[in-house]
Every structure is written in C-alpha cells, then in structure tokens.
C-alpha cells in the first residue's frame, strides 16, 4: 500500500492537472490578430463609433497557426447594462484552411455597460479553446448622440452651421457641441451583413461617386449586404443616396433603379446645368413656407445632375419646394417612405469639389440632416456640450418612461429608501446598544451574546424575508407593450415589443418572441431580442453570470438562453420583429381608399383588417397633415371602417393638444425634475402618470416631433426609439397614404391568457415557438398600439 506521503503527492498532482490550462498547442492553433467594434470615426484619433445598447458590428481578423480538424466557433462576450455577460457564438469554417492563412469574420455585440470590454475567443464545438482570449476596450456613445454614417468614405467638407457660442464663450464646435458625430465605411466589405448592424446610425448617407462601391452593392442579383441596408431602412432607418457623375451607370442597374422614389432617365441619365452651376432652393429650418437658395458648382469641372423621371411609386419632390417649382421645375431631391423608414435621393454628388467648395455647403448639410433624417433630433438636442466619445448617465426620456411604466407592477410595493435607512438604523441599535444593555443590566451575563447575537440575526433575517415575501409576493409578473405597424403598401407588418419580467425567485429564463396564433408561421417571422437598461448599469460580481444570445442564422438574439433574474427583481427586454402577410383572397388586410374625382384634398373609401387583435379604441386617421378622429373611435376585426376625410384639425395641433406627451414623459424622473419649469407647474411623481394598471399614452412616441410644442427648451427626447417616430409623414404634401392609429388595452389577468392574445407571443422557458414552450404562470398586463398605412389610389 502507498504511504501517506505518496498518497498526498498523487492528490496534489491530480489537483494540479485539473487546474492546469489546456495544452498550449490547442490554444495556439488560431491567433486573433485584431478586432474593431463599431464604425470608423471621421474625427482623427477618435474611438470607433458604437452606441450604448445598440448592436455594433465587430470586425475580427484571425490567423490560422496550425491545422484545425474540428468544427469551430468565434465567441463574443460583452456585459449588458446589469453587468451580466451576453455570449454570442458565430460558426467558423476553419477545417482545411492552410496554416498562415488570414480569415476575416464579423460578429455583433451590444455595448451596454460602462466597463465596455468585449472578449473574443476561438473555441472548438466541444468547448476547448483554440486561441488565447482577445480583449477589446469599447467606449460606447450615449443614446443621445446623433450618428451620421457615410458609406463610400468621409464626405469632404462635412459641416453644419455654427450656433451661438456656448456658456462661458466656448466655441460650440462644428458639429453641434459634439451631439452630432460622423462615422464612415469606405468599402462594401466594411458594411454589416445583417440589418441590426446599423442600429447605432441615425442617418446613413450613401455616396455613389465611387464606381466600385456602386457595382459591388447593386450589380449582384443577390447581396446580403444590400439587403441588410434596406431592411434597416424598412424598420425605421433613414437613408440618403447621392447620385450624380455615375448616374449613367446607376441607370443601368435594375436593383438600384427599383429602390429609387423617382427613376433615373435611361435615355438621358445625367445633365449639366448652364455655366456648370445650379441654383437650388430648399426649405428653411423652423419656418413654414420659407426657402433658402444657393449656387452649387461653377468652379472647375461642371456640376453633373442626375435626371429624375416620375414613376409609379408615391414620392415627394423636396427640391425644389412647391413655392419655387416655377423657377426650377426639374426635381433635384426626391423622397419616399420605405416601410417605416425614409429614403431620400439627391441628384448630385455630395463629396465632389463642386459641392464642397460651395458657400452654402453647411446650410445644405443642415437640410440633409433635417429632411433626410430627423427634423428636430439632428439639431443637437438640449445643446449641452459633450466631449467626443463620452458615455454619461443621460438618456432620452421616452425610453426611460417606457421602462418605468413596465417596471410598475400591481401588488408589488416599492419600499422607499427612507424606510430602508430607518430599519438599518434600528437593526444597528438592536445588535449594539440594546443587546448590550439587556445582557449587562437585565441578565448580567455578557457571555450570552454568543447566543443572543445569532438569534437576533436569524430572527431579523427571517422577519425581513417574510416581510419581503408579503410585500413582493410569490407570483411571476409580466408587463408588456406591443407597437404594431401594418404597411398595406408592401403587405408587411413591423413590430416593436418592450416587456419587463418580475421574478419571485432566483431563476434563469429562455426569452424569445414568436408569432401568436393567427399570425404568420414562425419561419416567416424575423425577430431580435435584447436586454434593456440604463447607461449607469450595475456592478460586476466576483463571478460574472452569463446567458447565450441566439445565433446569426437569421437574426441576432432570436432568443436569449439562460438569462438570470434574482429573487424579487425585474429585468427589461426589447424585441424588434417583422413579417409579410398574405395578399389576395385570404388577405389579412383589405383597403380601398381613393380621391374623389377632381378633388385630391379629400379621401373616401373603406378598409377592413383580419388580424387577431382585440377591438382598437381612440382611433384617429392622419392624412395630408390633418387629423380626423374616427366616428365612434373603434376598429373591430372583420368589420369595415368607412372613411370620409374632408374636415380635419391640423395634425401637429391635434397631437400637441391631445397627444398627452407630458403624461408619457412624466414617467421619467429626469423630465419631472427638469430645470426651467414655471412656478407651480413642476410635475409630481405620479402627476398625469396613469396608475400601474392604466394605459400609457404613446402618441408622443409614435409622432414625437409633431407632438413637441414650438417653444424655447423643446427638443427631441426620443433618441433610442427615434425610428418609430413617423412625424415626417404628417406633411401637407403627403397625399398618397392615410395613417390610422388605435390602441387596445387588456386588463391585468392570468399571464398565459393575456399574452397569448397579443401580436407577439412571449416565451420565458422552453424553445420559443415550439411545443415545449412553458405556459407562463402568474399575471400579465398587455398594451397594444397599432398603425395602419393605407395607400390612396
């Protein structure tokens, strides 16, 4: 028999073998040579541009050091706002790749923590590491940052008008106190191949002056990169395309022509104005029916303008504006809706010397950001200076309001910090002076503290647990909001879902969103799910928890696996989803809306929807800048709704008077406590906030900029959800569609019954959309807002 010393030596050897890292040969099979998170910043020495909470592309370069004979994957780990690591695994095809070969791979993360570190590792499917961990420090921009992404390189002379000097006489800088930032992607290879890779961009500008980029993006019959860009637009993105010198080649590309509001004339695709310069007119900021004018070109090579011809698509001519079309009849800038997004085409190159040398360059760029992007948001927000790349605790109040509303549960009391502080003081007094006095003066035996101290601790702990159990309850609760946009132009539905889960115990959840009964099949439903939170986030523990992010086969985060939620805690989630719906005999939507003969200002007709929605109330129609509350205000599935729109109220006036924007924003404490309010008007925490079970008025989200009043201090507060703002459709020139808005509020009830009647079916355990989906216990509150976009014939 071995001696004790031998047994001890063997035990130590076994322990060291278990603790030893994998053999160096395995970890050296692949070397990660570089990684970049986000888009390149235009400013010199600035960090790459990624935004807090938004998906960002991660460009990774690898070098194969020795042969890899098994399936591999590239693993990305990044903390969320609660400092819990989200883990995404991207398949890698390295089998048969010769040693010394470099490989480029793109993954995605959501920078959502102040620490901002992304860890990248190559590992085998078995879990064995094939590379050393590679760590990238990320400095995400705050949600309020307005990011302009230029495709095709940095536009020369990108400049915005300078406002008044900042407080203290400081120069406000060229890009509005740092609130507007320019990023760029030089080639097609730099672009994301999934639509969510553009989430950090508020406006994308595509230059076609580089023929290679034009060919690579639009010549192929199929292009995941092109599809990703335009799917992002359809889900609410804003895209500006400038085309001039390459108009002739662009006119020969059917995939380019098919996307334009106006086609490029194939017979005469380009034209040169007299004397090589063009006099342009465009709308001024902040004033109605006022235009600016400027000369583009006239120096060096003549300016080249694309020749646009109207097509069958509904579109608006932006340049020249209606008041100046007698002076300049040829369209230079045109715009159309593409799903929820906005596509603007400008008929000359924004990066050539003819434009960059123009004196009106800054004013024209200002117009591009306003009428091509977001009218008020691009103005720089609250005007506070922001150092480049700074992440503060500032958030847009609309996003905070939605989270705060969803975080308020019936029957779950919130104990104020004041009470907690009082109880802590009482506990300290109890285990200190009170216990000492009792043992010293009453019993006269201080040694009994060995008994009384643990008894007090256990008793107080038990009392605290039982009190929390009585106050918080043992029931799982879910609050959920669905925003559904039905695009009858393209037979497509877009959805945004936000929900918060209250867990009565420590548990892990598999979170996903799938179509509910009566909606399309799961394979036609494209969704991404992510966690939500504030920039300040939480603090990492000694052992950082993790959850898995769904793969990239269709959408990033189609599900989140094993998300930990602590006892009596909440966690917020968001989902972005879309699907097509059937046309023809089995159509989910029927519309026959038209202009009376000879009267384009009026609209007649009817529509019927067959979506499995509860009755919609408080319904309003918007057409050509006017609001028309529907008679009765109710839309019921399968019942025709007749429209006769001839006498309305100005849409902005109706929204400012009836949109309850303050009621929405008062859910955010920063808005309630904002400086500069008039005496006696400061909102209280619950003022205009419709109780825990009451519906949240979302008019100020759906048409945010239109609901803002034209007064000093009014600025956009919807940065994180700007893509849902359809205020730009409420233009008097938009006579090609009617927008119908309504809402449905389901009373709080059994979670499974309430949530299965919603447009997006929530899963918390089991495979989302499968037979083993967990029937959610507890209670739930569901709120649904719907917008129908009806084409006018």
């Amino acid at each position: 028999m071995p001696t004790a010393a031998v047994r001890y030596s063997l035990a130590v050897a076994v322990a060291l073998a278990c603790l030893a890292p994998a053999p160096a040969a395995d970890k050296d099979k692949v070397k990660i040579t570089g990684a970049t998170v986000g888009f390149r910043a235009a400013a010199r020495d600035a960090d790459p541009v990624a935004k807090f909470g938004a998906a960002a592309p991660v460009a990774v370069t690898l070098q194969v050091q020795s042969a890899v004979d098994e399936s591999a994957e590239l693993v990305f780990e990044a903390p969320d706002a609660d400092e819990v690591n989200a883990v995404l695994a991207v398949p890698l095809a390295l089998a048969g790749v010769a040693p010394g070969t470099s490989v480029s791979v793109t993954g995605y993360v959501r920078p959502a923590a102040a620490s901002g570190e992304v860890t990248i590792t190559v590992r085998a499917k078995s879990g064995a590491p094939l590379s050393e961990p590679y760590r990238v420090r990320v400095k995400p921009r705050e949600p309020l940052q307005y990011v302009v992404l230029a495709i095709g390189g940095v536009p020369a002379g990108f400049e915005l008008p300078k406002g008044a000097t900042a407080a203290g006489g400081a120069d406000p800088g060229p890009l509005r106190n740092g609130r507007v930032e320019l990023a760029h992607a030089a080639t097609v290879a730099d672009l994301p191949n999934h639509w969510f890779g553009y989430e950090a961009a508020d406006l994308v500008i595509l230059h076609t002056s580089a023929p290679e980029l034009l060919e690579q993006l639009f010549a192929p019959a199929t292009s995941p990169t092109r599809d990703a860009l335009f799917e992002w637009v359809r889900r609410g993105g804003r895209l500006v395309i400038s085309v001039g010198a390459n108009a002739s080649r662009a006119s020969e590309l059917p995939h380019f022509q098919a996307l334009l509001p106006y086609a490029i004339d194939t017979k005469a695709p380009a034209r040169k104005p007299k004397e090589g310069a063009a006099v342009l007119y465009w709308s001024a900021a902040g004033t109605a029916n006022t235009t600016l004018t400027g000369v583009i070109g006239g120096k060096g090579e003549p300016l080249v303008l694309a020749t646009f011809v109207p097509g069958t698509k509904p579109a608006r001519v932006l340049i020249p504006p209606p008041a100046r079309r007698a002076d300049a009849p040829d369209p230079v800038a045109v715009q159309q809706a593409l799903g929820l997004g906005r596509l603007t085409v400008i008929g000359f190159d924004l990066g050539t010397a003819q434009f960059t040398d123009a004196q009106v360059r800054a004013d024209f760029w200002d117009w591009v950001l306003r009428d091509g992007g977001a009218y008020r948001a691009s103005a720089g927000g609250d005007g506070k200076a922001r150092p480049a790349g700074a992440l503060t605790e500032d958030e847009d109040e609309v996003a905070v309001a939605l989270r705060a509303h969803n975080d308020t549960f019936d029957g779950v009391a919130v104990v104020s910090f004041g009470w907690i502080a009082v109880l802590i003081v009482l506990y300290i007094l109890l285990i200190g002076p009170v216990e000492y006095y009792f043992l010293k003066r009453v019993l006269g035996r201080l040694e009994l503290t060995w008994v009384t101290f643990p008894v007090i601790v256990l008793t107080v702990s038990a009392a605290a647990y039982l009190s929390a159990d009585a106050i918080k309850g043992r029931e799982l609760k879910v609050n959920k909001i669905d925003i559904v946009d039905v695009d009858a132009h393209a037979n497509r539905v877009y959805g945004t879902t936000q929900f918060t889960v209250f867990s009565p115990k420590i548990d892990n959840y598999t979170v996903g969103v799938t179509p509910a009964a009566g909606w399309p099949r799961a394979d036609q439903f494209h969704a991404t799910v992510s966690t939500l939170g504030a920039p300040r986030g939480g603090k990492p523990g000694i052992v950082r928890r993790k959850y898995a992010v769904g793969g990239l086969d269709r959408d990033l985060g189609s599900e989140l696996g094993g998300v930990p939620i602590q006892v009596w805690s909440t966690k917020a989630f968001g989902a972005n989803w879309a699907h097509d719906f059937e046309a023809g005999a089995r159509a989910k939507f029927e519309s026959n809306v038209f202009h009376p003969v000879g009267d384009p200002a009026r609209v007649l007709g009817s529509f019927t929807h067959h979506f499995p929605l509860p009755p919609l109330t408080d319904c309003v129609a918007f057409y050509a800048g006017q609001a028309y509350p529907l008679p009765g205000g109710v839309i019921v599935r399968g019942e025709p709704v007749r429209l006769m729109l001839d006498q309305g109220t100005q849409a902005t006036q109706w929204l400012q008077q009836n949109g309850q924007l303050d009621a929405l924003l008062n859910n955010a404490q920063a808005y309630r406590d904002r400086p500069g309010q008039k005496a006696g008007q400061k909102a209280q925490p619950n003022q205009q906030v419709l109780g825990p079970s009451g519906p949240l008025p979302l008019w100020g989200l759906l048409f945010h900029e239109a609901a803002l009043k034209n007064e000093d201090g009014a600025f956009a507060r919807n940065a994180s959800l700007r893509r849902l703002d359809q205020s730009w459709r409420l233009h008097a020139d938009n006579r090609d569609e009617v927008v119908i808005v309504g809402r449905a509020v389901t009373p709080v009830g059994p979670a499974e019954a309430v949530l299965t009647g919603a447009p997006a079916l929530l899963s918390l355990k089991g495979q989302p959309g499968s037979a083993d989906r967990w029937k959610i216990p507890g209670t739930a509150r569901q709120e649904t807002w719907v917008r129908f976009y009806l084409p006018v014939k």
Side-chain angles (χ1 to χ4, degrees):
M1 293 181 64
T3 65
V6 173
R7 290 197 300 269
Y8 177 78
S9 300
L10 288 173
V12 171
V14 170
L16 291 176
C18 293
L19 294 174
D26 289 341
K27 282 195 173 184
D28 290 341
K29 284 188 174 182
V30 181
K31 182 180 181 180
I32 300 175
T33 56
T36 302
V37 180
F39 298 102
R40 293 188 185 94
R44 182 177 299 178
D45 299 327
D47 293 302
V49 178
K51 192 179 286 188
F52 174 88
V58 186
V60 182
T61 54
L62 316 169
Q63 188 176 66
V64 178
Q65 305 285 77
S66 59
V68 178
D69 300 324
E70 54 186 321
S71 298
E73 55 190 11
L74 190 62
V75 180
F76 300 84
E77 292 190 26
D80 66 11
D82 296 324
E83 294 289 348
V84 180
N85 269 10
V87 182
L88 170 69
V90 177
L92 273 179
L94 296 180
V97 177
T101 303
S102 293
V103 179
S104 297
V105 184
T106 300
Y108 298 88
V109 297
R110 293 183 182 274
S115 61
E117 187 174 84
V118 177
T119 303
I120 307 169
T121 311
V122 180
R123 71 184 182 192
K125 283 286 188 179
S126 62
L130 300 178
S131 75
E132 293 288 346
Y134 188 93
R135 292 178 173 84
V136 184
R137 197 73 178 173
V138 184
K139 295 181 179 179
R141 276 45 168 189
E142 63 184 13
L144 304 182
Q145 193 85 345
Y146 192 88
V147 175
V148 179
L149 173 63
I151 298 177
V154 180
F158 182 82
E159 184 182 5
L160 296 173
K162 294 184 179 181
T165 55
D171 185 348
L175 298 182
R176 292 178 178 145
N177 280 326
R179 283 296 196 183
V180 176
E181 184 169 7
L182 181 64
H184 70 99
T187 66
V188 172
D190 297 329
L191 299 178
N193 54 3
H194 291 272
W195 67 266
F196 40 75
Y198 292 95
E199 283 186 356
D202 295 283
L203 174 66
V204 173
I205 299 174
L206 173 61
H207 301 281
T208 62
S209 54
E212 299 84 2
L213 186 142
L214 186 65
E215 292 287 340
Q216 293 173 10
L217 199 56
F218 293 101
T222 59
S223 170
T225 306
R226 181 180 68 230
D227 294 344
L229 174 60
F230 285 93
E231 178 64 14
W232 170 77
V233 178
R234 292 184 183 94
R235 297 197 186 213
R238 269 74 167 186
L239 173 64
V240 173
I241 301 176
S242 71
V243 55
N246 285 320
S248 178
R249 177 55 183 147
S251 68
E252 300 170 351
L253 299 172
H255 296 291
F256 184 79
Q257 287 273 49
L259 293 165
L260 301 183
Y262 274 28
I264 297 175
D265 191 346
T266 55
K267 296 180 180 179
R271 56 191 173 92
K272 295 180 181 179
K274 293 180 180 180
E275 301 180 358
V279 179
L280 301 184
Y281 304 93
W282 61 92
S283 60
T287 54
N289 303 319
T290 302
T291 60
L292 299 177
T293 183
V295 177
I296 308 294
K299 297 180 181 179
E301 293 293 324
L303 179 69
V304 178
L305 297 172
T307 305
F308 295 129
V309 292
T312 58
K313 298 179 182 178
R316 291 175 53 212
V317 175
L318 301 183
I319 297 179
R324 304 309 298 261
R325 285 174 192 165
D327 303 319
D330 296 322
V332 175
V334 290
Q335 185 179 91
Q336 71 172 6
L338 189 62
L340 300 184
R342 197 176 189 182
L343 173 59
T344 307
V345 181
I346 298 173
F348 62 88
D349 293 317
L350 294 174
T352 59
Q354 292 86 348
F355 174 67
T356 58
D357 291 341
Q359 293 182 353
V360 294
R361 179 184 69 247
D363 289 324
F364 194 85
W365 273 120
D366 181 53
W367 174 86
V368 170
L369 266 63
R370 283 189 289 107
D371 280 40
Y375 194 90
R376 291 198 181 187
S378 59
D382 58 8
K384 296 178 182 177
R386 286 291 184 273
L391 178 62
T392 69
E393 294 187 0
D394 290 347
E395 281 188 279
D396 51 299
E397 289 89 340
V398 170
V400 177
L402 260 68
R403 284 206 316 271
H405 180 71
N406 275 343
D407 203 40
T408 304
F409 292 90
D410 279 338
V412 179
V414 178
V415 181
S416 68
F417 176 76
W419 278 109
I420 294 175
V422 169
L423 293 173
I424 290 174
V425 171
L426 292 177
Y427 176 63
I428 293 173
L429 292 175
L430 180 63
I431 63 174
V434 173
E435 184 198 22
Y436 177 82
Y437 181 85
F438 178 75
L439 295 178
K440 178 72 173 177
R441 300 297 183 185
V442 178
L443 299 181
R445 299 181 63 183
L446 290 176
E447 64 273 15
L448 290 178
T449 188
W450 293 102
V451 176
T452 57
F453 182 79
V455 168
I456 292 172
V457 172
L458 292 175
T459 302
V460 171
S461 299
Y465 176 84
L466 294 174
S467 299
D469 183 69
I471 294 173
K472 303 291 186 180
R474 301 180 181 180
E475 192 174 60
L476 185 137
K477 297 176 183 289
V478 178
N479 287 339
K480 180 164 166 280
I481 296 175
D482 285 329
I483 299 171
V484 182
D485 289 284
V486 180
D487 181 7
H489 298 273
N491 293 333
R492 202 152 193 249
V493 175
Y494 303 92
T496 298
T497 297
Q498 289 203 5
F499 56 96
T500 299
V501 177
F502 171 82
S503 179
K505 61 180 180 178
I506 299 174
D507 207 347
N508 295 331
Y509 298 88
T510 297
V511 181
V513 171
T514 55
W519 295 81
R521 301 192 314 269
D523 60 350
Q524 299 174 328
F525 188 90
H526 300 271
T528 64
V529 182
S530 62
T531 60
L532 303 175
R536 48 193 169 276
K539 298 296 181 182
I542 298 175
V543 178
R544 179 169 278 175
R545 297 159 293 163
K546 300 180 180 180
Y547 58 87
V549 180
L552 287 171
D553 52 341
R554 295 200 311 170
D555 293 295
L556 173 68
S558 52
E559 65 178 68
L560 305 178
V563 181
I565 304 180
Q566 300 305 301
V567 62
W568 299 314
S569 297
T570 63
K571 196 169 184 73
F573 301 87
N576 186 326
W577 48 273
H579 66 80
D580 297 331
F581 63 84
E582 297 173 335
R586 299 178 59 196
K588 291 285 187 183
F589 196 83
E590 302 165 13
S591 174
N592 181 25
V593 181
F594 56 89
H595 295 297
V597 177
D599 191 357
R602 298 177 62 217
V603 167
L604 301 175
S606 64
F607 71 94
T608 308
H609 86 84
H610 300 281
F611 294 100
L613 291 167
L616 303 177
T617 61
D618 304 320
C619 298
V620 179
F622 295 93
Y623 168 70
Q626 301 288 308
Y628 304 85
L630 297 185
V634 179
I635 298 175
V636 179
R637 177 186 183 185
E639 296 185 7
V641 177
R642 302 194 180 278
L643 298 177
M644 187 172 65
L645 310 182
D646 57 359
Q647 291 183 351
T649 304
Q650 188 177 18
T652 54
Q653 177 185 343
W654 189 92
L655 287 166
Q656 290 169 14
Q657 293 178 351
N658 303 284
Q660 296 179 280
L661 180 60
D662 276 347
L664 169 64
L665 297 178
N666 276 333
N667 283 268
Q669 183 175 351
Y671 183 81
R672 295 196 301 266
D673 298 339
R674 67 194 186 281
Q677 296 184 88
K678 297 179 181 178
Q681 291 186 352
K682 189 163 185 176
Q684 298 303 315
N686 293 319
Q687 180 182 339
Q688 291 189 301
V689 178
L690 307 180
S693 301
L696 189 66
L698 294 186
W699 298 101
L701 165 64
L702 305 178
F703 302 101
H704 182 73
E705 293 197 357
L708 287 171
K709 295 181 179 179
N710 294 317
E711 59 186 20
D712 291 340
F715 56 88
R717 301 175 184 270
N718 65 336
S720 301
L721 296 165
R722 189 175 294 128
R723 63 183 180 83
L724 294 176
D725 183 7
Q726 300 296 301
S727 298
W728 58 274
R729 293 181 185 262
L730 307 180
H731 198 283
D733 288 349
N734 185 12
R735 300 181 182 273
D736 298 311
E737 68 178 353
V738 175
V739 182
I740 310 289
V741 186
R743 67 178 177 182
V745 179
T746 304
V748 175
E752 187 67 10
V754 170
L755 297 175
T756 51
L761 178 60
L762 176 62
S763 297
L764 292 181
K765 285 183 181 290
Q767 183 69 26
S770 66
D772 68 341
R773 173 187 168 273
W774 185 49
K775 294 186 182 301
I776 300 176
T779 59
R781 181 184 72 207
Q782 171 71 40
E783 300 172 48
T784 304
W785 285 74
V786 182
R787 290 184 289 198
F788 299 104
Y789 302 88
L790 316 181
V792 180
K793 301 175 183 178

